[in-house]
Amino acid sequence: MLVQNGIFPYNVLFIAYNTHMKYLISACLANQPVRYDGQGYKFEKILKLLENPNIILACPETLGGLPTPRAPAEIIGGSAADVLKGVAQVVDHAGNDVSNAFIQGAFKTLALAQLHAIDIVVLKENSPSCGSHFIYDGSFTGQKIVAMGVTTALLQQHGFKVISELEFLEQLEKV
């Protein structure tokens, strides 16, 4: 219940204001241990939003069948769109081609977004799946480039609005 004893708690103001909006959020952003290193991120503002039934959590990489933990992976030989076309690869630090798992996870995430008529997708910046503005450059040296991840590319190709957790948290601060 959003209102208790006539009091409208501040921490649910955003939820009540946007109850008509449906969000798909990277599961790692809600402290789910699905990152490549078996960790999650604990963003209190995102955790508070989980009371909203219009929020769906998903991890494209685990949806694609990758285990947790797993070796870090980066896009090599092109863009995320090239990975989707089969002309570039997602390779893990050990040199294994994990492109198929990333592609399968992207399509399963797309299916969830379509099934739930998602309005806004909030994905983890810098990820080879989820980056919306930046990903690592494929050298495994920590260098970032302006590019997007495989899931973001697929979702945008299908008309979904994808934003990073940084943009989402900034919007939450304004409420």
Side-chain angles (χ1 to χ4, degrees), residues 74-83 86-91 137-139 145:
E74 298 185 8
I75 296 173
I76 295 177
S79 67
D82 293 333
V83 171
V87 297
Q89 296 176 313
V90 183
V91 177
D137 71 356
S139 67
I145 57 172

Side-chain angles (χ1 to χ4, degrees), residues 1-173:
M1 177 183 281
L2 291 178
V3 178
Q4 296 178 2
N5 299 327
I7 298 171
F8 194 82
Y10 174 77
N11 67 351
V12 296
L13 181 60
F14 181 81
I15 295 170
Y17 182 74
N18 288 298
T19 54
H20 65 286
M21 302 286 284
K22 292 185 178 180
Y23 298 90
L24 187 146
I25 299 177
S26 288
C28 66
L29 299 175
N31 204 29
Q32 300 299 305
V34 294
R35 283 176 31 108
Y36 75 93
D37 59 4
Q39 302 295 309
Y41 296 99
K42 191 171 184 179
F43 294 108
E44 291 297 331
K45 289 188 177 280
I46 291 176
L47 293 174
K48 288 177 184 177
L49 296 177
L50 296 181
E51 298 169 14
N52 182 342
N54 289 331
I55 292 182
I56 305 296
L57 298 178
C59 173
E61 294 174 24
T62 59
L63 284 172
L66 292 174
T68 302
R70 57 190 168 275
E74 298 185 8
I75 296 173
I76 295 177
S79 67
D82 293 333
V83 171
L84 290 167
K85 293 176 196 170
V87 297
Q89 296 176 313
V90 183
V91 177
D92 72 16
H93 195 262
N96 300 305
D97 182 350
V98 290
S99 303
N100 285 338
F102 276 73
I103 293 167
Q104 288 177 5
F107 275 96
K108 287 180 179 180
T109 303
L110 172 63
L112 280 172
Q114 291 171 328
L115 176 68
H116 294 282
I118 297 296
D119 296 299
I120 297 176
V121 181
V122 182
L123 298 179
K124 177 69 184 97
E125 195 66 271
N126 306 321
S127 160
S129 286
C130 299
S132 56
H133 302 291
F134 298 97
I135 62 170
Y136 291 99
D137 71 356
S139 67
F140 294 95
T141 61
Q143 295 297 313
K144 296 175 190 172
I145 57 172
V146 175
M148 66 181 70
V150 176
T151 298
T152 298
L154 183 65
L155 290 169
Q156 286 184 354
Q157 288 173 6
H158 288 268
F160 286 95
K161 178 174 178 54
V162 180
I163 63 174
S164 74
E165 80 280 9
L166 304 173
E167 294 168 302
F168 188 59
L169 290 168
E170 185 177 300
Q171 289 179 10
L172 291 177
E173 289 296 323

